[in-house]
Amino acid sequence: MSARLTIALDAMGGDYGPSVVVPAALDYLAKTQGIALILVGQEALIAKELAGVRHDERLAIHHASQTVGMDEPPSKALRTKKDSSMRVAIELVKSGVAQACVSAGNTGALMATARFVLKTLPFVDRPAIITAVPSQHGSTHLLDLGANVDCTAIQLFQFAVMGSELVTAVEGLAAPKVGLLNIGEEEIKGNEQVKRAHELLVASHLNYVGYVEGDDIYLGDVDVVVMDGFVGNVALKTSEGVAKLLARRLGNSFKKNWATRLAGLAALPVLNRFRQTSDPRRYNGASLLGLRGIVIKSHGGADRIAFENAIRIAEKEIHSNVPERIAMQVASQLDDGRKRAAG
Amino acid sequence: MSARLTIALDAMGGDYGPSVVVPAALDYLAKTQGIALILVGQEALIAKELAGVRHDERLAIHHASQTVGMDEPPSKALRTKKDSSMRVAIELVKSGVAQACVSAGNTGALMATARFVLKTLPFVDRPAIITAVPSQHGSTHLLDLGANVDCTAIQLFQFAVMGSELVTAVEGLAAPKVGLLNIGEEEIKGNEQVKRAHELLVASHLNYVGYVEGDDIYLGDVDVVVMDGFVGNVALKTSEGVAKLLARRLGNSFKKNWATRLAGLAALPVLNRFRQTSDPRRYNGASLLGLRGIVIKSHGGADRIAFENAIRIAEKEIHSNVPERIAMQVASQLDDGRKRAAG
């Protein structure tokens, strides 16, 4: 299997463990050529999910005796769970057996373990979490989404470099438009870190378009939006909350009485297509950027369709050599700054 | 007119000035008894909007020669626009001619001017901006929404006290549930200010329910959510962005071809009702809390329906004596803390 590209899956992670990860792996393999998967976790539980299902040599099981809990403190996971499915999956990337891993396990533990096992790329101070969200013209990539609560200007700048390079690598955009999230009031504009990051970005070779605001994320006039992890986490969760509220209200509007139900029946195909195009599962799979290896975080509550999408993102990043490209880009941007400062 | 309750309107503020404020004022007066309105701004422009329209002595014009631009720096507005419609409207509150004012002008200038003219309440370090957003069970109040970029724990605590009291005053809830916005990852949970504010809130007499996350805002299990102004501004604008994107996508789904248009026709009454219940104009009107007077900020892009709603919020706050109640509550919570510390 060594010559073949391989993705390691943390089979125990997320709210549903093997009952979601195993079917997602099978769905993925049925549609894909040339990539092998390793299911990492408790062999008996994985085997049970595989019982009676036909699969070929592209699917392997790698036993790991422990599981990291969804609410387990990262430091505890790191110290006491050396044979967890999460850690072993990451170690398969470290050793080169796999070229990427995917986990729906707890974000803090995944980030801490990935950082400990794989290490950060040269000149990257802190890894960040990035994901795509839908926008009017396609999608927008947001980072950081919760890995870094208080960020310096330099860190925000590094996030911009990493995010830009990721979008170039996986979306094929030559010069992605990068925006820095800020608020719009003149006198009270931005905090000090954001203002300094802005100066760094203006001087950089990125395609930096300047400050953007919260609503710009969904307009799609910008490809990458940079913010600290606290703000990013709030922006993402708030978005989920609004989308859920509106979907529920829309559903309820059609359930009111027999007349509205009839109207709903007539509108059903259209409503279903709308739901499909706005399905958050299509965007499941956040990347941990800045590490010496590819680690994809799936939503903890992901179902098989959503988890399969996260595997697909891992595959995309393998094919486009994301870590190497980011390493090159970060070093190059840093060198530019050094030369500007010297010259 | 002195015995009557009066609201001063900045007729020049917002993207549309008198062409929205004047009709909104007339709509409001047609539906309301016992409140008078003063249109503050350039007399000629206001009179033009009023030409040929019947109105009674409840509507007055107060000339002000200057207008604050929507992008004008607050410090400049404060220094050079002493006869602006915005400033004069606030001064009418200060002098007691009006009991509240409403402006759709630029937020930074409005806050700076209101703070300068009216001053903050005793023991309030910084005023905050609060608004209601729709939730599954009604509405949730959010603060701060952009007035305060970097907040100390004490300031966040004061926001909680002010927000709780506002909801008690205007919604009639005896003990509103107060949440503190945070992110959910264990090790990387919150920044230092949020953690310290949490401790202050736990020790307080507020009905504090603990940390909440971005998606909780729209669930409605909590009545007030506290956060710093940077995060609040991003949360609000991001929410607007998502709602707009989904509305547009839903509309487009029905416009695809003749079959979907037909389905849309059948679903039209339901879709219209859905649009109505989710209409952001119903929530227009943010309150500047912590000042010695009532100041309501309308969205800059508000139309007459939205602006009328902001006037209605001003009326509600007059009837429930919001500034006095907040002053009392802030002083009382502070005294509690002092006694706990002493005892």
Side-chain angles (χ1 to χ4, degrees):
Chain A
M1 201 154 74
S2 61
R4 187 180 254 158
L5 294 174
T6 301
I7 301 170
L9 309 179
D10 168 6
M12 314 304 290
D15 301 339
Y16 311 111
S19 72
V20 154
V21 177
V22 174
L26 293 168
D27 288 350
Y28 173 81
L29 289 175
K31 296 176 201 158
T32 319
Q33 306 283 330
I35 299 272
L37 300 178
I38 303 176
L39 294 163
V40 183
Q42 290 174 40
E43 194 159 10
L45 293 175
I46 297 171
K48 213 174 103 187
E49 292 293 333
L50 280 173
V53 182
R54 246 197 315 188
H55 59 89
D56 57 29
E57 81 295 344
R58 291 178 300 153
L59 191 68
I61 300 177
H62 188 115
H63 179 68
S65 62
Q66 294 176 304
T67 300
V68 174
M70 288 306 275
D71 293 318
E72 194 161 334
S75 53
K76 198 184 149 212
L78 209 52
R79 212 173 50 243
T80 67
K81 299 281 176 77
K82 294 192 179 158
D83 196 38
S84 74
S85 55
M86 180 189 279
R87 174 128 174 200
V88 172
I90 297 169
E91 275 165 352
L92 290 173
V93 177
K94 168 80 175 172
S95 64
V97 172
Q99 284 69 51
C101 68
V102 181
S103 173
N106 106 46
T107 313
L110 184 65
M111 181 52 100
T113 308
R115 214 174 152 178
F116 179 80
V117 173
L118 297 173
K119 312 298 178 206
T120 50
L121 291 167
F123 300 113
V124 171
D125 293 328
R126 295 209 218 154
I129 304 176
I130 189 168
T131 196
V133 297
S135 77
Q136 227 188 313
H137 313 304
S139 65
T140 309
H141 278 77
L142 312 183
L143 80 167
D144 173 47
L145 297 175
N148 304 282
V149 164
D150 287 306
C151 291
T152 64
I154 293 279
Q155 284 160 0
L156 290 171
F157 174 69
Q158 290 179 356
F159 296 169
V161 174
M162 295 198 291
S164 173
E165 193 56 28
L166 177 84
V167 171
T168 297
V170 300
E171 308 279 334
L173 288 176
K177 280 172 273 178
V178 177
L180 181 62
L181 193 69
N182 201 348
I183 67 175
E185 304 311 328
E186 192 54 43
E187 193 175 51
I188 50 187
K189 201 169 212 168
N191 53 28
E192 283 312 307
Q193 304 88 282
V194 169
K195 284 179 200 163
R196 283 201 301 273
H198 172 76
E199 287 160 22
L200 292 172
L201 285 164
V202 166
S204 77
H205 296 305
L206 293 177
N207 186 7
Y208 176 59
V209 300
Y211 291 134
V212 298
E213 294 191 50
D215 44 349
D216 293 316
I217 292 171
Y218 296 94
L219 282 181
D221 295 336
V222 60
D223 302 303
V224 179
V225 180
V226 176
M227 60 206 97
D228 77 42
F230 192 102
V231 171
N233 185 291
V234 169
L236 197 66
K237 294 234 166 110
T238 303
S239 300
E240 285 173 18
V242 173
K244 268 186 210 159
L245 175 71
L246 292 179
R248 210 174 289 122
R249 284 197 171 183
L250 184 62
N252 288 342
S253 304
F254 281 106
K255 277 182 206 139
K256 227 171 178 102
N257 56 45
W258 66 266
T260 60
R261 277 174 200 275
L262 215 59
L265 217 58
L268 200 61
V270 186
L271 291 175
N272 281 342
R273 180 136 14 96
F274 167 68
R275 267 187 213 113
Q276 256 168 37
T277 60
S278 304
D279 189 346
R281 296 180 298 185
R282 292 178 56 203
Y283 293 88
N284 183 49
S287 310
L288 275 54
L289 288 190
L291 297 166
R292 297 173 191 249
I294 298 167
V295 181
I296 306 297
K297 157 79 178 130
S298 160
H299 200 289
D303 64 7
R304 61 197 282 178
I305 294 172
F307 196 90
E308 191 191 335
N309 198 66
I311 306 176
R312 220 165 286 287
I313 290 177
E315 181 193 339
K316 236 179 176 176
E317 295 198 10
I318 294 175
H319 287 311
S320 46
N321 296 316
V322 167
E324 291 81 357
R325 293 186 64 141
I326 286 182
M328 172 72 182
Q329 204 44 237
V330 170
S332 152
Q333 290 281 349
L334 207 88
D335 193 45
D336 283 350
R338 198 177 55 84
K339 283 172 186 155
R340 267 197 312 276
Chain B
M1 202 154 72
S2 62
R4 186 179 254 157
L5 294 174
T6 301
I7 301 171
L9 309 180
D10 169 6
M12 314 304 290
D15 300 339
Y16 311 110
S19 71
V20 154
V21 177
V22 175
L26 293 168
D27 288 349
Y28 173 81
L29 289 175
K31 295 177 203 157
T32 318
Q33 307 283 330
I35 299 270
L37 300 178
I38 303 176
L39 294 163
V40 183
Q42 291 174 40
E43 196 160 9
L45 293 176
I46 297 171
K48 213 175 104 188
E49 292 294 332
L50 280 173
V53 181
R54 249 198 314 189
H55 58 91
D56 58 28
E57 81 296 343
R58 291 179 299 154
L59 192 67
I61 301 177
H62 188 115
H63 180 68
S65 62
Q66 294 175 304
T67 300
V68 173
M70 290 305 277
D71 292 319
E72 194 162 332
S75 53
K76 197 185 150 212
L78 209 52
R79 213 172 50 242
T80 67
K81 299 280 175 78
K82 293 190 180 160
D83 196 37
S84 73
S85 56
M86 179 190 279
R87 174 127 174 203
V88 172
I90 296 170
E91 274 166 352
L92 290 172
V93 176
K94 168 80 175 171
S95 64
V97 172
Q99 284 69 49
C101 68
V102 181
S103 174
N106 107 46
T107 312
L110 184 65
M111 180 53 100
T113 309
R115 214 174 152 177
F116 179 79
V117 173
L118 296 173
K119 313 296 178 207
T120 51
L121 290 168
F123 300 113
V124 171
D125 293 327
R126 293 210 219 154
I129 303 176
I130 188 167
T131 197
V133 297
S135 77
Q136 227 188 312
H137 314 303
S139 66
T140 309
H141 278 76
L142 313 183
L143 81 167
D144 175 47
L145 296 176
N148 304 283
V149 163
D150 286 306
C151 291
T152 64
I154 294 278
Q155 283 160 0
L156 291 170
F157 174 70
Q158 290 178 358
F159 295 169
V161 174
M162 296 197 291
S164 173
E165 193 56 28
L166 177 85
V167 172
T168 297
V170 301
E171 307 279 335
L173 288 176
K177 280 172 272 178
V178 177
L180 181 62
L181 193 69
N182 201 348
I183 66 175
E185 304 310 329
E186 192 54 43
E187 193 175 48
I188 51 187
K189 201 169 212 168
N191 53 29
E192 282 314 305
Q193 304 89 282
V194 170
K195 284 180 199 162
R196 283 202 303 271
H198 173 76
E199 287 160 23
L200 292 172
L201 285 164
V202 166
S204 77
H205 296 304
L206 293 178
N207 186 7
Y208 177 60
V209 300
Y211 292 133
V212 298
E213 295 190 51
D215 44 349
D216 293 316
I217 291 170
Y218 297 94
L219 282 180
D221 295 336
V222 61
D223 303 302
V224 180
V225 179
V226 176
M227 60 205 97
D228 77 43
F230 193 102
V231 171
N233 186 290
V234 169
L236 196 66
K237 293 235 167 110
T238 303
S239 300
E240 286 173 16
V242 172
K244 267 186 210 160
L245 176 71
L246 292 178
R248 211 174 289 121
R249 283 196 172 184
L250 185 62
N252 288 342
S253 304
F254 281 106
K255 278 182 204 138
K256 230 173 177 99
N257 55 46
W258 66 266
T260 61
R261 277 174 200 275
L262 214 60
L265 218 57
L268 199 62
V270 186
L271 292 175
N272 281 341
R273 181 139 10 98
F274 167 68
R275 269 188 212 111
Q276 257 168 37
T277 60
S278 304
D279 190 346
R281 295 180 299 185
R282 292 178 56 202
Y283 292 88
N284 182 50
S287 310
L288 274 54
L289 288 189
L291 297 166
R292 299 174 190 247
I294 298 167
V295 181
I296 306 297
K297 157 78 179 130
S298 161
H299 200 289
D303 64 8
R304 60 198 281 178
I305 294 174
F307 196 90
E308 191 191 335
N309 197 67
I311 306 176
R312 220 165 286 288
I313 291 177
E315 181 192 339
K316 235 179 176 175
E317 296 197 10
I318 293 175
H319 287 312
S320 47
N321 295 317
V322 166
E324 293 80 357
R325 293 186 65 141
I326 287 181
M328 171 74 181
Q329 204 43 239
V330 170
S332 152
Q333 289 280 348
L334 206 90
D335 193 46
D336 283 350
R338 198 178 55 85
K339 283 172 185 155
R340 267 198 312 277

